[in-house]
Amino acid sequence: MSNQQHSPDGLKKGDPAAALPEGYSSHEVDYESAPAWNGTDTSSADGAIDPDSGVKRGLKNRHLSMMALAGIIGPGLLVGAGGALNSGGPASLIIGFGVIGFIAFAIMQSLGELTTLYPGGGAFVSLAERFVDKSFSTAVGWNYFIIWAAVLANEYNVICSILVYWAPGVPLWGFFLIFWTVFLGFQLLGIEAFGEAEFWLALFKLLGLTAYFIFAIVYAAGGVGEEESALGFRYWNDPGAFNGNGFRGVAKVFIFCSTFYAGVESVAVAATETRNPGTAVPQAIRQVFWRIIFVYMGSAFFFGITCPANAQGLVGGGAKALQSPMTIAIQIAGWKGGVHLINAFILVTCISAINSSIYIGSRTILYMAQSGKAPRILGKVNKMGVPVLAIVLTNAVGAISMMNVSTGAAKAYSYIVNLSGVSTFLVWGSISFMHIRFRRAWATQKRDLNELPFKSMGYPFIAYFGLAANIFLALVQGWTTFSPFNAGDFVDAYILLPLFGVIYVVCRLIWREDKFKRSWEIDLDSGRRIDMDTKDATKHREGAKLSLWQKVWNWF
């Protein structure tokens, strides 16, 4: 058992929250009189720099909230949904989005409980080391980096293909070099610029999807197009709800959907650079529910009723592969020039997706380097708190997209999506496992659950469900490659499963002193942090009167 001394509520002696009066939240500490958890005076200018990682705490609550609602959403959803629709039909799309959405919700509940309490550098990479061991953390970290390396390469491929569609005289690599330089320069501006850009880009994406959903309702009701009767659910009958592929089609859709959902957990990565994680993270976690309902389930439903699953161009159409279900629906409705409107919308979502992919990938490699899981040189930051070398490396990985110069965007996407999809299952399953380990340690060390600033819904069911579901999906996601057997697709679907184990075993051999942490050995105290903005943190003080609209807003 740890011999550290604790106050009655489980906090270390000397922590500012340990001296708080009863009923007073640790997020309501007066910064004029109390230091931060890590000994940094947050009332000073230096308090904006995280003392552990060196990054700057520049993200505001609204930045994190909008990232939770629409961050990362890009061509993966708007273009990739076409392949999923073709593989399984509109019913499979809804089933896939619904099942993976429920799993994503479970993962976010687990992650919210952990990240709100421990928002320090590393997100679930550092949490894996805290609750399991360093080798497990390394395997999780590199798998997570692989997700964003794959996503970044795909997004670069799509954004360049869009511009080649408009300007075929310019080579793909020419547009890539331009965008590569622009995105690198923007990332070096700092976290505030990233947060502000993501806020407005996410808002634009939500408005764009809303406009399409309104169009879909009017179109299905017969208000648009040359048809004599309303469209309704015609495409559910012809070519059919499952497009003639049955359960096999449903299984194929799952791997697509897991990639579409990848990124909902990114709020944990951004928590370290958030000014007020105690209030911003719980808000962001709650908003993920509305992201699942509006963005994913809404897209699945309206794509299915406005675009036939057997439409030409959904997959394998060369440059025209950029025709998402949205483009095809608009063209069928009679607006042939609509391809330019949707391509412009996809272009904007690409900008957001690339921006976010570089950010998440660079922070992941930064935190791994700082904890000895990657080359130490990548763990350096400049005076602005920007990890320059980690950003350069992550952005350089985007050059993988140039391997696709001779093919269309859809073919490259079909391979990259599988690689990142199985990594998503591995990382999500790891998060659930960390949550189980955390709760076991919390109980073993006789801590009070009321001390948690955010408690997940439905524990232990939600954590064990998340773990079991992700293990199951990781194992079965490539079963369609068995009959007929396709060696390339099989390797693509399963290569990361043994790789995860290989990384873990090799690390255990290198770090022989690295031991699996027992529940009574797990550190439950270090890494906590209070919010920087007193006025923002104290608005949740118990007993404070809130207006009706504030109560409604906080609930959402």
Side-chain angles (χ1 to χ4, degrees):
M1 288 287 284
S2 173
N3 58 4
Q4 292 176 319
Q5 291 182 316
H6 301 277
S7 61
D9 58 356
L11 295 170
K12 286 182 184 177
K13 287 187 176 181
D15 279 346
L20 292 175
E22 185 177 356
Y24 198 76
S25 170
S26 63
H27 301 301
E28 303 170 288
V29 177
D30 184 353
Y31 295 91
E32 296 298 326
S33 59
W37 296 106
N38 294 305
T40 299
D41 184 358
T42 53
S43 64
S44 67
D46 292 337
I49 299 296
D50 181 67
D52 296 323
S53 61
V55 296
K56 188 175 182 181
R57 300 167 177 169
L59 289 176
K60 300 177 181 177
N61 290 20
R62 63 182 176 89
H63 295 154
L64 201 65
S65 293
M66 198 57 76
M67 286 174 64
L69 278 172
I72 313 299
I73 295 171
L77 173 64
L78 304 180
V79 177
L85 181 63
N86 178 264
S87 296
S92 296
L93 207 59
I94 290 180
I95 293 171
F97 273 114
V99 172
I100 302 298
F102 186 70
I103 296 173
F105 179 77
I107 300 305
M108 292 309 295
Q109 286 294 308
S110 295
L111 193 58
E113 183 170 300
L114 298 175
T115 306
T116 305
L117 191 62
Y118 306 110
F124 36 82
V125 176
S126 64
L127 292 174
E129 182 171 357
R130 179 190 292 265
F131 300 121
V132 187
D133 58 39
K134 187 175 182 179
S135 301
F136 182 76
S137 172
T138 305
V140 171
W142 280 109
N143 264 272
Y144 196 58
F145 182 75
I146 287 173
I147 293 176
W148 297 108
V151 171
L152 178 62
N154 179 65
E155 307 299 3
Y156 266 130
N157 182 64
V158 173
I159 196 172
C160 294
S161 297
I162 292 174
L163 294 179
V164 167
Y165 177 76
W166 283 330
V170 181
L172 197 72
W173 60 264
F175 283 121
F176 169 76
L177 290 177
I178 294 172
F179 279 112
W180 192 92
T181 304
V182 170
F183 280 112
L184 177 62
F186 183 78
Q187 284 285 330
L188 297 180
L189 293 178
I191 189 62
E192 292 94 341
F194 167 79
E196 204 62 36
E198 279 305 295
F199 175 83
W200 293 107
L201 288 171
L203 181 62
F204 177 83
K205 287 185 281 187
L206 289 175
L207 293 176
L209 284 174
T210 301
Y212 181 78
F213 293 168
I214 294 173
F215 157 79
I217 294 172
V218 175
Y219 179 35
V224 178
E226 302 175 354
E227 299 287 341
E228 295 182 358
S229 60
L231 178 65
F233 287 85
R234 182 183 307 166
Y235 298 139
W236 279 66
N237 297 316
D238 182 20
F242 296 94
N243 198 25
N245 293 322
F247 180 75
R248 188 181 183 88
V250 176
K252 285 184 177 180
V253 168
F254 276 116
I255 192 67
F256 281 99
C257 291
S258 66
T259 304
F260 302 156
Y261 275 102
V264 295
E265 74 291 327
S266 63
V267 293
V269 178
T272 306
E273 293 175 88
T274 301
R275 294 180 62 85
N276 308 299
T279 53
V281 173
Q283 287 175 2
I285 296 300
R286 285 192 290 268
Q287 285 161 344
V288 167
F289 172 78
W290 299 110
R291 172 177 176 144
I292 293 171
I293 297 298
F294 179 78
V295 175
Y296 295 114
M297 297 305 296
S299 297
F301 177 74
F302 288 116
F303 288 173
I305 65 173
T306 58
C307 177
N310 61 352
Q312 293 183 351
L314 280 178
V315 291
K320 292 278 185 166
L322 291 172
Q323 292 182 345
S324 74
M326 301 166 70
T327 307
I328 293 174
I330 287 178
Q331 289 180 317
I332 293 176
W335 186 17
K336 301 302 181 183
V339 62
H340 299 293
L341 176 66
I342 301 303
N343 272 0
F345 180 56
I346 294 174
L347 179 68
V348 174
T349 67
C350 269
I351 293 173
S352 174
I354 293 174
N355 195 35
S356 296
S357 297
I358 297 174
Y359 171 78
I360 299 171
S362 65
R363 270 39 176 198
T364 300
I365 204 72
L366 168 72
Y367 299 140
M368 286 198 296
Q370 290 179 340
S371 57
K373 306 178 186 77
R376 291 279 186 182
I377 193 173
L378 298 174
K380 296 183 178 180
V381 297
N382 63 15
K383 293 181 179 179
M384 295 173 57
V386 178
V388 177
L389 294 179
I391 289 173
V392 172
L393 173 67
T394 304
N395 198 27
V397 174
I400 295 174
S401 62
M402 291 300 95
M403 296 172 62
N404 189 47
V405 168
S406 61
T407 59
K411 181 174 289 187
Y413 182 83
S414 66
Y415 287 103
I416 294 174
V417 72
N418 287 332
L419 193 63
S420 56
V422 67
S423 285
T424 301
F425 294 138
L426 292 172
V427 172
W428 282 7
S430 300
I431 292 172
S432 293
F433 182 59
M434 294 174 218
H435 188 204
I436 294 169
R437 296 285 302 146
F438 163 71
R439 279 296 190 100
R440 185 168 298 175
W442 200 262
T444 299
Q445 299 183 31
K446 301 187 184 333
R447 302 300 180 93
D448 186 358
L449 287 177
N450 292 323
E451 186 184 335
L452 299 177
F454 177 89
K455 285 186 285 189
S456 69
M457 297 171 55
Y459 186 88
F461 165 77
I462 208 162
Y464 282 97
F465 167 77
L467 177 60
N470 281 289
I471 291 175
F472 174 76
L473 290 174
L475 293 175
V476 305
Q477 46 84 28
W479 75 276
T480 56
T481 64
F482 288 96
S483 179
F485 183 75
N486 184 301
D489 290 342
F490 173 80
V491 172
D492 193 35
Y494 286 106
I495 185 62
L496 290 179
L497 290 179
L499 181 62
F500 188 96
V502 168
I503 293 175
Y504 180 78
V505 171
V506 170
C507 289
R508 287 301 296 266
L509 293 175
I510 295 174
W511 300 314
R512 293 187 179 275
E513 73 284 358
D514 183 32
K515 302 296 182 183
F516 184 83
K517 290 182 173 64
R518 311 296 294 181
S519 57
W520 58 85
E521 298 172 333
I522 292 174
D523 177 13
L524 297 175
D525 296 303
S526 65
R528 301 196 200 182
R529 203 186 101 194
I530 49 178
D531 292 346
M532 292 179 63
D533 299 325
T534 307
K535 64 179 182 179
D536 202 38
T538 58
K539 69 181 180 180
H540 296 290
R541 178 179 303 183
E542 294 180 16
K545 292 184 178 180
L546 300 176
S547 63
L548 179 61
W549 73 269
Q550 285 176 317
K551 292 179 181 178
V552 173
W553 175 257
N554 288 339
W555 185 83
F556 278 103

